[in-house]
């Protein structure tokens, strides 16, 4: 592609994206295609001769778009948001344009130094404990996902424990499935994860946790790590981090705090209570790629002491040796993550933070929390519904139909088949629940109000 063609098609593509974001609200949120439908429209073999770019773009409209579930729609209330925003899309584009591999400081000093700096900014914006900033023993790194973060935390915890023998890990029964996966990948054995019972607010029971740890110690196991969740996926529950941290400290265990979604709330000082006890954590993560207007992938992972992480993950072949690394003056982020290669993800987070400023970010987060509060109020006032997570709401509202699972399932199916909104489900206390996750970058009062109308009419 010549430079001239790149300019032309680049402008066309940016125009296309701007147009898409302007009209996405009108598109059916949940893709309506059947399995295999997208592939059936693609040629069986790759093209032999070059194809003009306009033809490729036309196929985006005709083949790809129908197979898209519109995560950028303001009517998207499913799972958790995977937000984008103008500045983050442009940051992503620039990252691709520069195309650097930031595995070592020396492979692109700006990629490393911007990442360190932006993660210090983020720690400041969220008012995280100073030990997570890069000027001491700890620091932050951008991982692709919270799943990678918990795996890295676990291998660092094992490194610090100094043994790989008969290790056990702990998380509540409501913790994210990525904890189960991390324990499996790290080779602790499936049985090594203790799922701790939750209380009636779906938060980990610290007394049960303490008992499980003691039982394991008595049986000759080495408890290595606990994961406390700040904002569970199912219902937004917040584990009692101070009590969990105290038990971890008593037994020399690593505490990882998973605030994948909810951590963004701490941008607003009045919501910082969610981070009570985080000062006891050895590691912490939150996902700007969920609620902080930064497109996937961008997980901010912090450690209080980077040494065990680096010791666990650093492997130095001859071809990566270089003077800067050997000087000890630089960070090589390849040693803070599982893969060697790494994209320049800090650019998009930097663009987002600079575009919105702390005030802008807070404004949007507060608005989402307020919209969720309003929605919950409507739900609570309607006899047909049961509001399930009044105590841990932030921007997630969980509810069910009082007539039981079948009626709740009908709510989901009716709303999603309408194409006018998309909500997903979970199971709470063994019963089906609708999750309404308010947090898409462009969601306004009118979208939440429309969802409420849909819910009411679906309830019959
Ligand atoms: N932890 C929690 C609490 C989550 O809600 C999620 C995703 O919803 C994850 C971890 C996994 O996030 P990721 O996709 O970044 O691995």
């Amino acid at each position: 592609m010549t430079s001239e063609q790149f300019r032309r098609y680049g402008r066309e593509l940016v125009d296309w994206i701007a147009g898409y974001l302007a009209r996405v609200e009108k598109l059916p949120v949940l893709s309506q295609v059947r399995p295999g439908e997208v592939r059936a429209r693609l040629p069986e073999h790759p093209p032999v001769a070059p194809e003009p770019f306009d033809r490729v773009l036309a196929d985006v409209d005709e083949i790809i778009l129908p197979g898209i579930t519109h995560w950028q729609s303001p009517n998207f209330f499913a799972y958790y948001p995977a937000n984008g925003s103008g500045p983050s899309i442009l940051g992503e584009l620039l990252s691709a344009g520069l195309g650097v591999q930031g595995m070592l400081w020396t492979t692109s000093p700006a990629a490393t130094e911007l990442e360190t700096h932006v993660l210090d900014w983020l720690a400041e914006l969220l008012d995280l404990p100073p030990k997570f900033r890069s000027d001491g023993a700890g620091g932050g790194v951008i991982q692709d996902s919270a799943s990678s973060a918990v795996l890295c935390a676990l291998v660092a915890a094992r490194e610090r424990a100094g043994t790989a023998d008969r290790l056990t890990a702990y998380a509540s029964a409501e913790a994210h499935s990525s904890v189960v996966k991390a324990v499996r990948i790290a080779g602790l054995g499936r049985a090594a994860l203790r799922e701790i019972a939750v209380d009636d607010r779906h938060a980990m029971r610290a007394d049960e946790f303490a008992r499980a740890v003691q039982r394991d110690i008595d049986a000759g196991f080495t408890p290595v790590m606990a994961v406390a969740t700040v904002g569970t996926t199912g219902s937004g529950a917040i584990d009692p981090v101070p009590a969990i941290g105290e038990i971890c400290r008593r037994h020399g265990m690593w505490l990882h705090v998973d605030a994948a979604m909810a951590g963004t709330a701490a941008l607003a000082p009045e919501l910082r209570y969610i981070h009570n006890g985080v000062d006891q954590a050895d590691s912490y993560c939150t996902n700007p790629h969920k609620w902080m207007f930064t497109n996937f992938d961008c997980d901010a992972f912090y450690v209080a002491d980077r040494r065990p992480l680096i010791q666990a993950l650093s492997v130095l072949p001859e071809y990566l040796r270089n003077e800067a690394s050997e000087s000890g003056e630089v960070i090589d982020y390849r040693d803070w993550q599982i893969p060697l290669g790494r994209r320049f993800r800090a650019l998009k987070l930097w663009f987002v933070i600079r575009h919105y400023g702390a005030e802008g970010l807070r404004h949007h987060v507060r608005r989402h929390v307020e919209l969720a509060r309003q929605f919950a109020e409507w739900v609570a006032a309607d006899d047909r519904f049961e509001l399930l997570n009044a105590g841990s709401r932030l921007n997630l509202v969980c509810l069910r139909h009082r007539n039981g699972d079948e009626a709740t399932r009908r709510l989901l199916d009716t709303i999603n088949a309408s194409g006018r909104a998309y909500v997903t489900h979970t199971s709470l206390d063994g019963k089906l629940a609708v999750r309404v996750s308010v947090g898409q970058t462009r969601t306004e009062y009118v979208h939440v109000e429309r969802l409420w109308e849909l819910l009411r009419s679906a309830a019959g």
Side-chain angles (χ1 to χ4, degrees):
M1 191 176 273
T2 64
S3 170
E4 237 356 273
Q5 285 171 324
F6 183 77
R7 273 179 221 283
R8 196 174 116 219
Y9 295 131
R11 286 190 185 113
E12 266 177 41
L13 187 59
V14 168
D15 267 355
W16 187 96
I17 297 170
Y20 169 73
L21 293 175
R23 73 193 160 100
V24 63
E25 169 169 7
K26 304 272 185 278
L27 302 174
V29 192
L30 178 63
S31 170
Q32 310 290 318
V33 300
R34 289 181 308 281
E37 209 175 312
V38 175
R39 280 199 75 179
R41 303 196 59 194
L42 294 166
E44 198 178 339
H45 300 290
V48 175
E51 293 193 81
F53 198 73
D54 340 333
R55 283 253 297 280
V56 182
L57 264 188
D59 282 352
V60 169
D61 277 314
E62 277 167 37
I63 303 174
I64 303 301
L65 215 51
I68 293 294
T69 287
H70 299 287
W71 287 71
Q72 302 312 313
S73 167
N75 300 311
F76 185 96
F77 299 98
Y79 307 104
Y80 275 143
N83 280 343
S85 63
S88 92
I89 296 167
L90 294 175
E92 191 73 71
L93 183 61
L94 180 57
S95 166
L98 294 171
V100 304
Q101 262 285 8
M103 55 203 179
L104 299 165
W105 177 88
T106 200
T107 58
S108 262
T112 295
E113 293 192 15
L114 185 70
E115 185 161 328
T116 308
H117 203 74
V118 167
L119 286 187
D120 279 353
W121 274 10
L122 186 63
E124 183 182 322
L125 285 167
L126 299 176
D127 198 25
L128 292 176
K131 65 181 178 182
F132 289 136
R133 303 203 191 166
S134 64
D135 52 4
V141 57
I142 300 181
Q143 302 278 348
D144 57 0
S145 63
S147 305
S148 294
V150 69
L151 177 57
C152 287
L154 183 54
V155 295
R158 178 171 58 191
E159 185 74 21
R160 193 179 72 177
T163 174
D165 205 27
R166 304 198 80 204
L167 300 178
T168 48
Y170 306 77
S172 92
E174 289 287 327
H176 190 261
S177 57
S178 53
V179 183
V180 180
K181 217 184 218 185
V183 168
R184 283 194 204 169
I185 296 172
L188 268 62
R190 290 175 188 215
L193 179 65
R194 312 298 194 225
E195 288 194 358
I196 308 299
V198 294
D199 61 19
D200 55 0
R201 292 167 68 144
H202 309 109
M204 187 196 285
R205 281 187 52 182
D207 57 341
E208 289 285 338
F209 170 51
R211 262 195 288 279
V213 170
Q214 196 53 56
R215 231 182 354 253
D216 284 334
I217 291 171
D218 294 344
F221 290 101
T222 302
V224 68
M225 181 172 92
V227 177
T229 310
V230 169
T232 58
T233 317
S235 68
I238 296 178
D239 286 341
V241 184
I244 295 168
E246 173 53 38
I247 295 160
C248 286
R249 211 173 41 206
R250 208 179 316 142
H251 297 289
M253 296 167 64
W254 186 286
L255 173 61
H256 175 66
V257 172
D258 175 2
M261 163 73 172
T264 290
L267 287 166
E270 70 276 18
L271 298 174
R272 287 192 183 144
Y273 65 85
I274 64 163
H275 281 158
N276 281 348
V278 165
D279 52 328
Q280 305 216 42
D282 296 286
S283 55
Y284 166 93
C285 82
T286 189
N287 283 355
H289 72 222
K290 283 189 158 65
W291 194 9
M292 211 186 286
F293 320 111
T294 306
N295 54 285
F296 193 87
D297 51 354
C298 185
D299 166 87
F301 174 56
Y302 292 92
V303 285
D305 180 358
R306 52 189 184 246
R307 280 169 310 182
L309 180 67
I310 293 172
Q311 276 160 18
L313 295 176
S314 183
V315 180
L316 184 59
E318 182 55 34
Y319 46 80
L320 293 178
R321 283 187 188 280
N322 68 87
E323 221 175 280
S325 298
E326 268 150 42
S327 76
E329 283 176 39
V330 301
I331 288 177
D332 289 326
Y333 277 127
R334 74 185 182 102
D335 296 333
W336 298 49
Q337 62 173 26
I338 311 286
L340 168 64
R342 58 199 328 273
R343 308 191 310 111
F344 194 171
R345 300 189 193 95
L347 272 176
K348 60 188 173 192
L349 188 54
W350 187 46
F351 278 23
V352 166
I353 293 173
R354 294 187 65 181
H355 171 83
Y356 287 96
E359 276 175 12
L361 293 171
R362 278 182 203 130
H363 164 81
H364 289 283
V365 162
R366 284 178 173 138
R367 196 195 42 171
H368 289 147
V369 171
E370 171 53 24
L371 291 175
R373 189 202 58 75
Q374 172 65 79
F375 192 82
E377 215 170 79
W378 291 330
V379 170
D382 189 319
D383 290 346
R384 292 170 298 178
F385 305 118
E386 188 187 350
L387 180 65
L388 299 172
N389 68 335
S392 56
R393 195 179 48 242
L394 290 175
N395 63 336
L396 176 68
V397 182
C398 297
L399 63 113
R400 66 168 62 108
H401 199 298
R402 286 197 189 272
N403 292 351
D405 279 4
E406 226 171 87
T408 303
R409 167 67 61 194
R410 267 200 306 278
L411 290 178
L412 283 157
D413 291 346
T414 312
I415 292 169
N416 294 339
S418 77
R420 289 160 59 202
Y422 182 27
V423 290
T424 48
H425 71 280
T426 191
S427 168
L428 287 176
D429 307 315
K431 289 188 243 162
L432 196 64
V434 179
R435 294 168 73 264
V436 174
S437 170
V438 182
Q440 213 292 319
T441 308
R442 295 163 197 83
T443 297
E444 298 289 350
Y445 183 88
V446 62
H447 307 105
V448 174
E449 195 181 30
R450 270 189 227 137
L451 176 65
W452 171 239
E453 290 305 324
L454 273 173
L455 184 71
R456 273 178 34 177
S457 64

